[in-house]
Amino acid sequence: MIDPAWVSGLSALLFVIGLAGAFTRKNAIIVLMCIELMLNAANMQFAAAAVHHGDTTGWVYTIFAIAIAASEVAIGLAIFLAMYGQHESITLDDVNVLKN
Amino acid sequence: MAGSGSSEIVHSTAAQYAPWILLLPMLAFPIILYLGKALNGNKMWKDTLKEGGLIALGFMGASLVLSLWLVVDFIGAYGGTEMLSDWTWFTSSMWADGDNAVSTVSFGFGIHIDHITVMLLFIASFLCLLINTFAIGYMNTDPINDNRNHRFYAEFVLFCSGMLGMVLADSFLWLFIFWELMGLCSYLLIGFYYERPSAAYAAKKAFLTTRVGDVFLMVGLAILWDLFGSLDYAVVFDSHNIEAVANNSAGTLAWALGLMFIGAVGKSAQFPLHVWLPDAMEGPTPVSALIHAATMVNAGLYLVARMFPFFGHEAMHGELADLAFIIAAIGGTTAVMAAAIAFVQHDLKKVLAYSTMSQLAYIFTGLGAALYLANTLHWHKYLPDGTTNPEYYVNHGIVIVAFGAALFHLFNHAMAKGMLFMASGAVIHEVHHAHHHLHHHDDDHGHSDPEELVMLAKYLNDNDQTVYEFFKSIDLDGSGDIDMFEFQKALTASQIANLPPWEMTALVKAVDLNGDGRLNLPELDLALGRIISDLDHGHHDEFDAQSMENMGGLASKMPITATAMLVGSLSIMGFPLIGGFWSKEGIIANTWRVALEDPRFFYPALCVLLGAGMTGFYMSRMWLKTFAGSPKGEVAAHVHPTNTWIKIPLFTLTFFSLGGVILASMGFTHWAPDIEYGLMSDHGGFIGGFLYEMEHVFANSKPFFFILTYIAIFIGAIVGPGIALSLYGGALDEGETVKPWFTPVLALNAAVKGRYHWDNSALAGSGFATALSNRLYFDHYYDMAMLKIVAAFSNKAAEADASVIDGTVKTIERTSQDISTKLRALTTGSARDYILMAAVGTLALVGLIWGVVA
């Protein structure tokens, strides 16, 4: 049995990688991938905790999170398509309509 | 309500079939509507079935047979009340006040048959059938109605079923439902020619004005429900229930009945809710006959007559006398007012409309007097303390005769007015056709005038330019005649038409009389002058087939119609021995009888006496202007007798109005609310009844009533008609032959007019006459009130909505938008920055919580 601390450490590492990617990258698709990475880091933590405590609740959460993440990706990609239609680019720096 | 479970007494087989009387016409409604839609334009549908007219006739005939069966059954059994209720509509559970018990109330439909029901049932079903017959002759021969008559017949049968249902219903709830059904049908039928703005307006007006009354009726019924816990006749007319209510809340009951009376005022077009009735003439004439004779306006009278048990109950003794006075006073006011307005009407149907209003007012006055007597006399067999009433026989007779007179006038008026409307319809129909016939010849020239010439004539007319000036202005070279080119330029300049040469050639040819290809002044003057004079002298479209100014001398041309109209007018006037005489005398006598006891009643009593003379005048004026004298105008000289469909009902009803004396002898003057006064039971059969009535009317043993009778006859049958005879009509033209019974009337007319003719133009031009022809400005002031009060209130409400309600919402929205605009200026707009902010924020929160917890 692996020590839960290792799994938690791994998932924290993954989460930080995803967070850093989401902050620094300009390409919208890569940002989306980073967000997925963060989600899966959380999923991993859930699954590990479920095994550790012998409680299935964590697994159920994970399954829900995967399903919701899938739909989120679908919506996210649709937004990017629309964004491309309007701005001819999916670079996030080009999109700043929220200002003013 | 009559629900299942209560014990019903079913007296006869006829009563068991009674629901079909109203269900048959109701069934015909969808049938005619559907077939009319499916077979529209089909030759068989149009010619053989008369676009549904014959289907309606069949259903109405079956309905009449059933009602006759019921009437005969009822008269044979000498009165009494029958109930039949075997259908439950729905059952509703309610929490009773105070305790926790649940009471159930069943709403069902049942049939209630008593003397009032039977009277109105006969009137409604009989007249509906006759009017249906008339309508086939009237509607189906007018091309304007082609392919939409099925709508007329469908709405017609629905209207009839509404009236029949209202009469048969066994509760005020169903009375109200059918009452509203009639309101709907009156709206649909008055607006039958909905493409005409005036008809659409009249329909709306009728609907909304009666609706004002209906609101009061509904409130009255709600109070009644509160008092009795039911609207079923079996409950509210139950002697013990009335007694219980009278002991606790007699005043509330008076209010309920008063509010219900306002509903009747609206429906029967009495002052001050009378404004819709004259406008209702916009509907086709059969509809006018239906509304004025058979259905609608009788509904209000029926409702008031229905209230009789409340007034007649010992426990309510004297409590409702004020309400009875109000009913009589409104009747008296309307009787005189409507008769006065009828003096100045030129439209044949409008005279009849005001006459209806006035005669209904008579019935209301009669009912008011009868209800007063019932409420203030001890007319029951036993006094409240249980002892035998010594004045029972006298008082009972007085109440029964007073109530019977009002109901009998309802009957006579319905028969006479139905006939008068159908006869007026026949006259209008034939005058219209005669006009159409003559107009056709004119049409032929009319169409030969090129459109451009007509437009040119209109142009000159509008700009007040003579043909000479026009000619001078277009004769550019001053040669005295104009060529095609100059003419074309003139047409272009006056913005009429810019025609190509080949069309100009045709136009010039139409004007050019000498054929030299040029137009000179006389030619143009001739062509344009004729068109201009056509425009000036009322165009043919403006011919009014309903105006009595376009009639006159029709007695020789339409003998049956003229006879029907004469008999109907005499009946309405109360000419001795004919229909309305018996009932009108009864109403006048009973109102005066009350006036002797209660001085307030002098007002309605004087009104009905005066109204008798006024009725004599306006009915005579109408007949004389239409049928006597020489024809006014070319159209009236070319009128032909009417068709058979129209003649049948006229013929039938003439005998009904003439036969008033027979009905009076049979005891219809005391058409009784109880069994003891059955038909022909009192005075030794028919002959005895005849002798009794004659003696009672012409040789009354009480000096007051003896004199009153002769005063009423003198005013109503001599003074009123005498004035009309001296002013209007006159002998027919030479060579016109008439039926023998017109000869004395026309001879009298010629003699009176020749000897006593006087000039009434000063009177006719006076301010009062102008006020009368403006209907005493009621419509004007109602419109003003609507604009000033209702419209002003609506404007204020709209303002409040915009500034207060919308204003609040808009302020919140505007403020939040302002704030967000200011906040937006602080941000970069880049998604990554927002994520960074969210992450840093979250981290800070986590750190904070960690710090607190740890």
Side-chain angles (χ1 to χ4, degrees):
Chain A
M1 195 71 173
I2 306 170
D3 186 356
W6 285 105
V7 182
S8 291
L10 178 59
S11 91
L13 189 65
L14 277 176
F15 189 86
V16 171
I17 292 173
L19 193 64
F23 288 159
T24 51
R25 303 310 294 257
K26 291 182 179 170
N27 191 316
I29 293 177
I30 301 210
V31 170
L32 191 65
M33 285 160 68
C34 292
I35 291 171
E36 288 301 307
L37 202 59
M38 283 192 276
L39 271 170
N40 282 318
N43 285 345
M44 191 178 185
Q45 181 62 50
F46 266 127
V51 170
H52 179 71
H53 293 294
D55 181 0
T56 50
T57 317
W59 292 340
V60 175
Y61 271 114
T62 309
I63 290 172
F64 272 97
I66 290 172
I68 289 169
S71 45
E72 177 238 311
V73 170
I75 291 171
L77 288 175
I79 290 173
F80 297 153
L81 272 178
M83 198 167 101
Y84 187 78
Q86 290 214 338
H87 298 273
E88 298 266 318
S89 115
I90 49 168
T91 309
L92 288 178
D93 284 350
D94 294 345
V95 187
N96 54 358
V97 282
L98 272 178
K99 189 179 167 64
N100 300 325
Chain B
M1 304 287 111
S4 56
S6 56
S7 60
E8 279 92 39
I9 315 152
V10 178
H11 285 278
S12 63
T13 356
Q16 278 174 320
Y17 285 96
W20 288 103
I21 296 174
L22 77 107
L23 286 177
L24 282 175
M26 205 173 267
L27 216 63
F29 166 69
I31 295 177
I32 296 174
L33 211 55
Y34 174 73
L35 287 180
K37 200 90 185 148
L39 300 175
N40 207 343
N42 184 308
K43 198 166 156 46
M44 194 271 293
W45 172 250
K46 204 163 169 176
D47 297 337
T48 318
L49 287 174
K50 302 283 182 196
E51 291 198 55
L54 285 183
I55 298 178
L57 198 67
F59 278 95
M60 291 315 299
S63 180
L64 175 65
V65 168
L66 287 175
S67 356
L68 279 179
W69 185 17
L70 194 66
V71 172
V72 169
D73 216 51
F74 181 84
I75 291 177
Y78 280 168
T81 305
E82 292 189 65
M83 300 277 204
L84 171 82
S85 49
D86 49 4
W87 179 62
T88 307
W89 184 20
F90 64 86
T91 306
S92 137
S93 303
M94 305 203 290
W95 289 101
D97 292 335
D99 49 25
N100 286 333
V102 177
S103 61
T104 45
V105 182
S106 290
F107 293 87
F109 183 73
I111 300 288
H112 177 96
I113 298 154
D114 64 5
H115 66 294
I116 310 176
T117 307
V118 167
M119 171 77 88
L120 272 128
L121 188 64
F122 175 72
I123 294 173
S125 52
F126 182 61
L127 282 175
C128 284
L129 182 76
L130 291 182
I131 294 168
N132 194 338
T133 318
F134 169 78
I136 294 176
Y138 186 89
M139 300 296 285
N140 292 56
T141 48
D142 210 344
I144 193 176
N145 301 324
D146 273 355
N147 295 330
R148 55 176 180 175
N149 275 325
H150 64 279
R151 188 157 63 80
F152 171 81
Y153 288 113
E155 288 160 6
F156 179 92
V157 288
L158 192 64
F159 205 141
C160 297
S161 83
M163 182 66 189
L164 295 168
M166 193 203 76
V167 171
L168 286 168
D170 78 331
S171 75
F172 280 115
L173 178 71
W174 279 97
L175 180 144
F176 185 68
I177 291 172
F178 285 114
W179 174 286
E180 292 296 326
L181 181 64
M182 270 195 282
L184 167 73
C185 291
S186 70
Y187 169 76
L188 292 172
L189 282 172
I190 293 169
F192 184 70
Y193 298 121
Y194 56 80
E195 69 277 5
R196 232 191 261 158
S198 57
Y201 174 76
K204 253 189 308 192
K205 192 169 175 184
F207 193 67
L208 292 177
T209 314
T210 50
R211 195 51 19 102
V212 174
D214 291 352
V215 171
F216 287 99
L217 172 60
M218 212 150 79
V219 176
L221 289 180
I223 298 176
L224 205 64
W225 166 273
D226 193 43
L227 289 175
F228 288 92
S230 168
L231 290 176
D232 193 2
Y233 295 159
V235 177
V236 293
F237 294 149
D238 184 81
S239 189
H240 300 293
N241 289 345
I242 295 180
E243 210 172 317
V245 168
N247 290 336
N248 294 323
S249 39
T252 320
L253 181 60
W255 270 102
L257 297 181
L259 291 171
M260 286 160 70
F261 170 64
I262 299 178
V265 165
K267 205 72 162 176
S268 292
Q270 297 296 296
F271 171 83
L273 295 177
H274 60 277
V275 288
W276 65 271
L277 194 71
D279 286 333
M281 295 295 108
E282 284 291 339
T285 306
V287 175
S288 309
L290 192 69
I291 290 178
H292 287 247
T295 57
M296 188 93 167
V297 295
N298 290 345
L301 299 167
Y302 173 77
L303 180 66
V304 175
R306 261 279 160 260
M307 297 177 192
F308 183 79
F310 296 121
F311 286 82
H313 200 276
E314 275 295 346
M316 291 298 286
H317 186 84
E319 296 278 357
L320 298 172
D322 290 340
L323 181 59
F325 169 70
I326 293 172
I327 295 175
I330 286 195
T333 312
T334 317
V336 170
M337 183 194 75
I341 299 178
F343 281 4
V344 295
Q345 297 298 320
H346 292 296
D347 186 312
L348 183 57
K349 276 170 76 182
K350 288 249 163 92
V351 176
L352 291 175
Y354 283 105
S355 159
T356 303
M357 215 190 268
S358 173
Q359 296 308 308
L360 294 173
Y362 264 88
I363 303 168
F364 269 117
T365 314
L367 282 174
L371 294 176
Y372 184 90
L373 289 170
N375 198 232
T376 54
L377 293 179
H378 288 289
W379 62 287
H380 291 283
K381 210 163 201 162
Y382 299 102
L383 290 172
D385 54 14
T387 51
T388 315
N389 184 357
E391 291 167 322
Y392 164 68
Y393 188 74
V394 177
N395 286 347
H396 188 260
I398 288 174
V399 171
I400 296 306
V401 169
F403 194 62
L407 277 186
F408 192 36
H409 200 58
L410 172 57
F411 178 86
N412 284 328
H413 170 256
M415 293 298 154
K417 196 45 68 69
M419 176 165 72
L420 283 170
F421 264 110
M422 287 192 257
S424 76
V427 170
I428 293 163
H429 191 64
E430 294 312 319
V431 168
H432 187 76
H433 274 225
H435 166 250
H436 212 70
H437 191 67
L438 288 176
H439 180 42
H440 257 306
H441 302 297
D442 290 355
D443 253 2
D444 294 340
H445 316 272
H447 281 303
S448 72
D449 289 330
E451 192 189 340
E452 290 78 18
L453 277 185
V454 177
M455 283 169 74
L456 181 58
K458 274 193 185 139
Y459 172 78
L460 294 182
N461 211 16
D462 291 346
N463 290 323
D464 277 336
Q465 211 174 2
T466 62
V467 179
Y468 178 74
E469 285 162 4
F470 174 70
F471 188 82
K472 282 287 163 212
S473 72
I474 63 170
D475 183 16
L476 298 176
D477 54 5
S479 61
D481 51 13
I482 50 176
D483 58 16
M484 206 168 78
F485 176 67
E486 282 171 328
F487 196 39
Q488 197 235 358
K489 268 185 104 165
L491 287 180
T492 318
S494 50
Q495 293 186 333
I496 290 170
N498 190 0
L499 295 177
W502 58 91
E503 286 190 20
M504 279 311 294
T505 320
L507 190 60
V508 167
K509 226 176 213 165
V511 186
D512 185 18
L513 294 175
N514 57 12
D516 60 358
R518 298 172 71 83
L519 305 178
N520 53 23
L521 183 58
E523 284 171 349
L524 197 65
D525 196 21
L526 201 67
L528 289 177
R530 180 166 49 79
I531 300 171
I532 289 176
S533 81
D534 269 5
L535 289 174
D536 284 348
H537 294 297
H539 206 261
H540 303 289
D541 295 334
E542 285 158 24
F543 177 81
D544 185 1
Q546 304 195 1
S547 171
M548 293 192 290
E549 302 298 329
N550 291 325
M551 297 172 188
L554 298 181
S556 59
K557 303 193 173 63
M558 307 180 75
I560 293 199
T561 311
T563 312
M565 209 85 162
L566 183 64
V567 174
S569 302
L570 291 177
S571 172
I572 297 279
M573 281 156 58
F575 198 78
L577 302 185
I578 294 179
F581 167 72
W582 302 96
S583 44
K584 202 172 218 175
E585 286 300 318
I587 288 176
I588 293 175
N590 283 302
T591 317
W592 278 94
R593 184 196 297 282
V594 179
L596 292 181
E597 287 173 21
D598 183 342
R600 288 183 297 176
F601 265 77
F602 271 114
Y603 171 62
L606 278 172
C607 282
V608 286
L609 198 57
L610 185 65
M614 297 168 86
T615 313
F617 175 74
Y618 70 74
M619 289 312 285
S620 313
R621 170 181 177 269
M622 180 202 75
W623 194 86
L624 294 171
K625 278 191 95 161
T626 311
F627 293 103
S630 35
K632 299 183 200 88
E634 201 185 358
V635 170
H638 288 82
V639 169
H640 297 290
T642 186
N643 62 39
T644 320
W645 287 106
I646 294 181
K647 278 180 193 159
I648 294 170
L650 294 181
F651 206 67
T652 320
L653 283 175
T654 306
F655 285 102
F656 259 88
S657 287
L658 280 176
V661 62
I662 299 172
L663 294 173
S665 307
M666 281 168 67
F668 269 77
T669 46
H670 40 77
W671 184 241
D674 59 30
I675 308 169
E676 288 151 60
Y677 270 73
L679 288 178
M680 290 202 279
S681 57
D682 264 7
H683 308 290
F686 181 76
I687 303 290
F690 176 69
L691 292 176
Y692 170 79
E693 288 295 334
M694 292 302 270
E695 188 200 331
H696 196 72
V697 170
F698 292 109
N700 201 309
S701 54
K702 293 205 183 87
F704 179 78
F705 291 107
F706 182 79
I707 295 170
L708 182 68
T709 306
Y710 285 98
I711 291 177
I713 294 177
F714 177 71
I715 292 180
I718 296 175
V719 175
I723 298 173
L725 283 170
S726 69
L727 279 173
Y728 304 104
L732 296 183
D733 285 349
E734 290 293 321
E736 297 282 349
T737 51
V738 290
K739 298 280 183 221
W741 52 86
F742 291 131
T743 322
V745 180
L746 293 168
L748 182 70
N749 185 199
V752 174
K753 196 181 178 191
R755 183 134 180 227
Y756 298 106
H757 187 66
W758 51 290
D759 185 18
N760 69 336
S761 55
L763 213 54
S766 68
F768 186 55
T770 320
L772 284 179
S773 45
N774 285 311
R775 306 152 165 209
L776 296 173
Y777 302 109
F778 271 109
D779 298 70
H780 179 69
Y781 285 117
Y782 284 0
D783 278 356
M784 288 288 284
M786 283 291 160
L787 282 178
K788 284 254 154 65
I789 299 167
V790 179
F793 177 74
S794 304
N795 281 335
K796 281 269 173 286
E799 227 168 73
D801 180 50
S803 62
V804 180
I805 299 173
D806 276 6
T808 313
V809 175
K810 277 184 181 154
T811 311
I812 293 171
E813 180 234 308
R814 206 178 310 119
T815 319
S816 60
Q817 225 168 39
D818 285 351
I819 293 172
S820 74
T821 312
K822 292 209 176 83
L823 282 178
R824 270 211 309 260
L826 302 174
T827 62
T828 60
S830 166
R832 273 177 301 147
D833 295 344
Y834 296 125
I835 300 176
L836 186 64
M837 276 189 252
V840 171
T842 315
L843 213 61
L845 271 178
V846 168
L848 202 64
I849 293 168
W850 198 316
V852 171
V853 172

